Amino acid sequence: AIVGMQLALTGKMNQTDTDAWLGKDHDSSYWKYLYLTEPDTILQTKNELLPLFQQALDNGLSLFPHRLQPFPHEADLPTNHTVRPGTVLPNVGHFAKITELDTSNGDSCCDGGAEWPGVKDFDSCGNWWYRCGYRHDIGLSSSSLNETYIMDAFKRLVPYPLMRLKDGTGFVFGSTEQGRRCFPSKNGCGGQ
């Protein structure tokens, strides 16, 4: 999609395909900025960041938002909840440590680089790598809810630090949808 859009905007595409990408109401010079994304993705950002986006784009940079993957977590439920085991990430051990990020104070989720530790070297468990521990057939019962069993059931999520955005939706996350890791930082990413 990015290549198609670039070809249409630079006039390196036949007119029929250019019209399909840009429409027929304006020529390519009309479009200065565009947001190309999947139809189910919403861009959430602060208004004060928009001038920085514009500056980066005017300097020739391309900006690519990342889709954060929420992990249904027991900490998001009321204290006196009853839930079927295996439908939320239990609030125990490693999974009880959730860092709250306050973006108004410069807190960030810093890109962990080209690492997908919960995706590689595991057997398949269906369509989505992060769903393995959430499967309803993993046999969790009230008698088997011990930390060792939980860590094994959710072993794909162990390498991911859990966090939530203070001024966001509030959900617990630890990666992108594709399993790319990010690390919580209380003072920005410092060029990471």
Side-chain angles (χ1 to χ4, degrees):
I2 294 169
V3 172
M5 186 60 70
Q6 287 175 333
L7 292 173
L9 288 170
T10 57
K12 297 177 182 173
M13 185 179 271
N14 69 53
Q15 193 59 49
T16 301
D17 290 340
T18 298
D19 289 347
W21 278 100
L22 305 178
K24 295 181 181 183
D25 294 339
H26 306 284
D27 66 15
S28 62
S29 65
Y30 174 80
W31 305 101
K32 184 168 182 181
Y33 308 104
L34 62 98
Y35 178 59
L36 179 66
T37 188
E38 296 181 40
D40 64 343
T41 302
I42 299 170
L43 177 65
Q44 180 181 344
T45 189
K46 298 179 199 169
N47 284 336
E48 60 265 20
L49 292 179
L50 293 176
L52 296 174
F53 290 169
Q54 179 181 3
Q55 181 182 5
L57 293 167
D58 287 344
N59 288 334
L61 294 177
S62 296
L63 305 176
F64 298 92
H66 292 282
R67 180 185 290 189
L68 299 176
Q69 181 56 50
F71 299 143
H73 197 284
E74 185 177 19
D76 295 329
L77 301 174
T79 18
N80 57 351
H81 68 280
T82 303
V83 65
R84 182 177 174 184
T87 59
V88 296
L89 188 59
N91 194 30
V92 297
H94 168 77
F95 302 122
K97 294 189 294 188
I98 303 168
T99 303
E100 183 174 88
L101 299 176
D102 183 352
T103 56
S104 66
N105 286 333
D107 297 352
S108 299
C109 175
C110 303
D111 184 16
E115 293 182 18
W116 298 267
V119 179
K120 297 181 179 187
D121 303 322
F122 287 100
D123 293 332
S124 175
C125 62
N127 294 338
W128 297 104
W129 68 274
Y130 54 86
R131 295 286 305 158
C132 298
Y134 292 105
R135 296 181 327 184
H136 296 284
D137 62 348
I138 61 175
L140 284 175
S141 68
S142 57
S143 61
S144 66
L145 286 178
N146 65 61
E147 191 171 337
T148 303
Y149 189 84
I150 290 167
M151 296 303 277
D152 185 58
F154 290 96
K155 62 187 168 198
R156 288 176 178 255
L157 301 183
V158 170
Y160 297 91
L162 300 180
M163 60 204 93
R164 77 171 81 237
L165 299 175
K166 179 181 178 187
D167 295 321
T169 59
F171 63 77
V172 173
F173 68 95
S175 74
T176 65
E177 181 181 59
Q178 294 76 26
R180 191 172 176 124
R181 191 164 40 175
C182 67
F183 295 97
S185 173
K186 288 294 193 175
N187 45 5
C189 295
Q192 292 183 22

